[in-house]
Amino acid sequence: MQAVVKDEPGSGAVFENWPQPKPGLHEVLVRVEATSICGTDMQIYDWRDWVRDRVKPPFVMGHEFAGKVVEVGPEVSDLRVGDIVSGETHIFCGKCFQCRTGNAHICERMKLRGVDTDGCFANYHRLNEQTAWLNDRKIPIEVASAQEPLGNAVHAASSAEISGKRVAVFGCGPIGACLIGLCKSFGATSIFGVDIVDYRLKLAADMGATTLLNAGEVKVVDEIKRLTDGHGVDVFFEMSGAEPSFQQGFEVLRPGGTAVLFGLPSKRIEFDVENWIVFKDARVRGVFGRRLFETWYETAEVLKTGKVDLSRVITHRFNLDEFSKAFALMKSGRCGKIVMYPNRKHSA
Ligand SMILES: [Zn+2]
Ligand SMILES: [Zn+2]
């Protein structure tokens, strides 16, 4: 088969022949019908610091996908050939303290798909039944692929009280945009969408942001304070990882408010503990992955009931062998979610 392979340390990746995996006892073989690019993939592609310390090339990149089961291992109990599945990225052990106390998403022995194991930017992908998610056949295949990041947004949204609140979302990429859709649907009264790329602000508007702020053009803190009668917001979501977002976000967070942090800064950043957290009596929540499998059930419900139209966030489509074009587009920021097709030709 062919795959997008991180073949050696350094930036970039190659498209090359790779042995087709065989499913083990508890695994299925999936023909990948759609696979989407995540911020994590971009960081691996760019060879960011944490990547350098963690990954061991060569391996197949990618973790967001939807595909058809074409072969089933002998001990697999609930999946059948022909099922349409996706996979949880956090491959948990099921046995450690965290797994056994309802926190499998932060398993002590966790491996990440497409980071610590071979991923899904390929014709076929080997999937352990434990991390598989059976999709509703009515969900379009690219939407099923992108439900994993929607899950990040669902996990973030459920980390703070939103109904009747004023919220600010810093970073309006695909996950931030989905989060805005959820905030709207969960009844936030004001939703500030903040980014430095107009394309993404448009995405934020499409998903229901009530005020758009380009941080490169306006004084975000002054504007939000002005529009909230000087109080600031009840909830600050950091979805970008950009250092100024942390500073501006905590400054507009009202005393007693909640900060939900999801974005990963590219390097250590300065953090004003006393003014941002202690003196404000603020609550701070980190969000990593999705709660297993609670978030997947909630996400499926969000899709089924149309609470968030994920297809609006999917803006570009490529064949898998065009991956370098896709990564370049992603780097420009002028896109939402990008979906790639390994097993059919696509022109768009
Ligand atoms: Zn992802
Ligand atoms: Zn575990």
Side-chain angles (χ1 to χ4, degrees):
M1 67 172 190
Q2 292 196 292
V4 176
V5 176
K6 185 80 190 173
D7 60 329
E8 55 182 24
S11 64
V14 294
F15 191 66
E16 63 177 28
N17 288 322
W18 190 262
Q20 185 168 317
K22 290 198 185 354
L25 284 181
H26 299 276
E27 294 171 335
V28 295
L29 185 66
V30 179
R31 191 179 71 192
V32 181
E33 304 296 346
T35 179
S36 34
I37 306 181
C38 180
T40 314
D41 302 317
M42 192 75 235
Q43 291 171 5
I44 293 170
Y45 193 80
D46 276 350
W47 202 245
R48 287 260 287 261
D49 285 354
W50 73 263
V51 174
R52 188 169 309 164
D53 299 337
R54 178 156 184 167
V55 308
K56 293 179 185 64
F59 64 96
V60 178
M61 294 176 60
H63 61 267
E64 297 174 9
F65 69 96
K68 190 178 269 182
V69 174
V70 291
E71 203 180 326
V72 174
E75 298 289 328
V76 169
S77 55
D78 290 328
L79 293 174
R80 306 274 174 273
V81 167
D83 282 346
I84 304 294
V85 292
S86 292
E88 166 54 43
T89 306
H90 293 203
I91 302 170
F92 54 97
C93 76
K95 294 172 186 158
C96 73
F97 172 81
Q98 294 295 355
C99 283
R100 298 186 67 180
T101 53
N103 291 310
H105 66 302
I106 41 174
C107 166
E108 290 167 8
R109 293 190 281 256
M110 185 176 53
K111 289 185 176 151
L112 297 176
R113 190 183 311 283
V115 176
D116 307 310
T117 71
D118 280 330
C120 58
F121 287 172
N123 297 110
Y124 293 91
H125 180 60
R126 198 167 57 145
L127 175 67
N128 191 303
E129 190 179 26
Q130 185 171 248
T131 55
W133 178 259
L134 181 63
N135 288 307
D136 185 328
R137 284 178 178 275
K138 284 187 234 113
I139 295 177
I141 202 80
E142 51 271 340
V143 168
S145 171
Q147 77 191 303
E148 189 255 17
L150 172 59
N152 293 133
V154 169
H155 184 15
S158 57
S159 300
E161 207 184 309
I162 288 172
S163 173
K165 304 292 183 194
R166 295 186 274 218
V167 309
V169 177
F170 283 70
C172 302
I175 299 176
C178 287
L179 176 59
I180 286 169
L182 290 163
C183 288
K184 182 184 175 197
S185 137
F186 292 172
T189 48
S190 306
I191 306 168
F192 297 94
V194 185
D195 207 293
I196 52 169
V197 181
D198 283 330
Y199 189 100
R200 298 200 150 182
L201 288 170
K202 198 183 156 301
L203 215 56
D206 278 354
M207 299 305 278
T210 53
T211 304
L212 305 173
L213 297 168
N214 186 324
E217 292 168 4
V218 298
K219 290 197 164 130
V220 171
V221 174
D222 293 353
E223 275 301 290
I224 294 181
K225 284 271 174 82
R226 187 176 68 79
L227 293 164
T228 54
D229 305 320
H231 297 303
V233 295
D234 303 294
V235 187
F236 151 48
F237 290 102
E238 205 307 301
M239 309 301 285
S240 74
E243 186 162 8
S245 289
F246 287 86
Q247 188 193 341
Q248 292 162 2
F250 275 103
E251 277 184 36
V252 298
L253 180 67
R254 72 160 170 82
T258 302
V260 180
L261 309 183
F262 175 78
L264 300 176
S266 58
K267 56 178 173 42
R268 294 262 168 98
I269 62 168
E270 274 193 41
F271 210 94
D272 187 348
V273 175
E274 56 268 46
N275 288 308
W276 293 359
I277 302 177
V278 180
F279 294 154
K280 278 200 169 172
D281 200 10
R283 210 168 301 187
V284 181
R285 276 290 314 264
V287 166
F288 187 45
R290 296 141 296 276
R291 293 195 61 83
L292 303 176
F293 274 84
E294 192 183 341
T295 307
W296 282 86
Y297 286 102
E298 290 169 359
T299 305
E301 200 60 18
V302 162
L303 289 176
K304 205 165 91 188
T305 54
K307 293 286 181 204
V308 170
D309 182 2
L310 187 53
S311 66
R312 298 176 86 139
V313 176
I314 300 167
T315 57
H316 294 81
R317 293 163 170 82
F318 290 94
N319 299 318
L320 186 62
D321 58 4
E322 300 172 301
F323 72 98
S324 48
K325 261 199 245 170
F327 274 101
L329 174 64
M330 180 140 171
K331 200 162 194 171
S332 78
R334 285 189 289 279
C335 60
K337 201 75 192 165
I338 300 173
V339 177
M340 302 187 293
Y341 300 86
N343 285 306
R344 59 174 139 138
K345 284 288 163 212
H346 190 88
S347 50

